[in-house]
Amino acid sequence: MGKAHDIAYGSGDSNSSGSTVYSVIVVPIDSSDPGGQVRLAPGETLRFGRATADGRPGFLTIAHHGVSRRAGEITAVGSHWTLSNLSRTSTYVVENPEGAGEHIKIAPGRIEAPIPFEFSRVVLPAAGDLLSFDIWAPRHDYADETATDGDGDGCGDGEPTVHAFPLDRTKRYFLVLAALCEARLRGAPHAPLPTVDQVVDRLRPLWPTASRTAVQWNIDYLAVKFRMKQPPESAACGPRLNGKKESLVSLALRFDLVREAELAVLTAAPAALLPGAAAP
């Protein structure tokens, strides 16, 4: 993949000192130093493809015969960026390296598709190869939590908002959920889920009395808590839920119910954890 070219634009946001504020940084996969990065301020565009830059500013050359001469465009837009796929035949994929398999597909001809990830990897299929480069979008804006009632409603009157998936991260069921999600959160988004026996072994340093029955009980409890099945006392429990672990992990990762930083509970001191619901 060709080396990134510097971009010299006169436009863009400025901070109080008058210097340009960059909202997007493009990092070619073979770039090992900051000098190979391309920085874009809001409103600026970087084009990429097989064609050579020939001194043109704002062009990233990807020297591969399987890449279109004008393959696409990256545009910085405030706190996010957009990707235009100028290929007629190839679908591009934008991966979230921290998202446990989260990705967006950009169809051929799609213009200015918004990309919400703070860290992204653009993957281009090219004649049997998969080429990639990274994009950082460090300027992510968030609402001021002090201006709301703590639940995102923006006012302090009335009943508080009920959380969709309330989880107590000091309980054993969260330990079980974290152990199920661990491999996919640590950079292997397609890793097979651990067996119940493997979860028992993983949790035994923290939970010396862990057993297959106890772990399975907590998995069943999570399925009820996430409203994936009716509780046992219900008159109509419904059909048996197959793929329960896969469904739990899929939902947990999709809604960030377990984050990579929270895997620290798997190495926490046992005294820091509460007993949680008792298994049968």
Side-chain angles (χ1 to χ4, degrees):
M1 188 175 291
K3 182 180 179 181
H5 295 268
D6 293 334
I7 294 183
Y9 291 101
S11 60
D13 292 352
S14 299
N15 59 22
S16 58
S17 64
S19 60
T20 301
V21 177
Y22 299 106
S23 63
V24 170
I25 301 172
V26 181
V27 185
I29 204 67
D30 59 353
S31 176
S32 58
D33 65 276
Q37 300 173 359
V38 178
R39 292 168 170 78
L40 302 177
E44 297 177 347
T45 295
L46 173 68
R47 298 166 180 83
F48 62 90
R50 190 174 82 247
T52 57
D54 292 331
R56 291 174 294 172
F59 196 89
L60 171 66
T61 298
I62 303 175
H64 192 289
H65 67 280
V67 176
S68 301
R69 289 178 175 83
R70 291 183 66 245
E73 296 179 349
I74 297 161
T75 301
V77 187
S79 60
H80 69 285
W81 57 281
T82 66
L83 176 62
S84 295
N85 181 354
L86 303 182
S87 168
R88 296 181 180 178
T89 58
S90 296
T91 295
Y92 299 162
V93 175
V94 182
E95 299 175 341
N96 177 5
E98 297 186 330
E102 185 178 19
H103 67 277
I104 297 173
K105 295 191 292 185
I106 312 299
R110 176 72 160 88
I111 301 298
E112 295 184 352
I115 309 299
F117 307 142
E118 185 168 357
F119 300 100
S120 304
R121 177 160 297 137
V122 180
V123 182
L124 313 176
D129 294 325
L130 293 177
L131 309 179
S132 64
F133 55 89
D134 292 345
I135 297 182
W136 304 338
R139 184 181 155 181
H140 271 212
D141 299 328
Y142 295 90
D144 182 3
E145 294 184 3
T146 62
T148 73
D149 66 350
D151 297 302
D153 290 343
C155 64
D157 298 330
E159 293 295 325
T161 302
V162 177
H163 293 287
F165 304 106
L167 290 174
D168 185 340
R169 284 158 172 77
T170 67
K171 299 297 186 181
R172 284 177 178 164
Y173 66 72
F174 189 77
L175 276 180
V176 171
L177 184 60
L180 290 173
C181 296
E182 182 177 22
R184 296 188 182 182
L185 282 172
R186 293 199 188 280
H190 305 294
L193 297 183
T195 65
V196 171
D197 287 331
Q198 288 172 328
V199 172
V200 171
D201 291 341
R202 180 70 178 92
L203 298 182
R204 187 156 281 143
L206 296 168
W207 181 7
T209 60
S211 65
R212 282 181 52 86
T213 301
V215 167
Q216 187 61 57
W217 188 94
N218 279 274
I219 291 173
D220 290 340
Y221 177 76
L222 284 165
V224 173
K225 192 172 183 66
F226 290 168
R227 296 182 291 281
M228 293 165 52
K229 63 179 293 188
Q230 295 295 321
E233 64 272 15
S234 172
C237 293
R240 179 179 176 83
L241 180 64
N242 295 318
K244 190 183 305 178
K245 291 189 300 180
E246 187 68 46
S247 297
L248 283 171
V249 170
S250 176
L251 185 141
L253 297 181
R254 188 183 311 146
F255 291 100
D256 285 338
L257 305 183
V258 183
R259 300 173 185 267
E260 185 177 4
E262 292 175 315
L263 296 179
V265 299
L266 298 175
T267 56
L273 299 168
L274 297 178

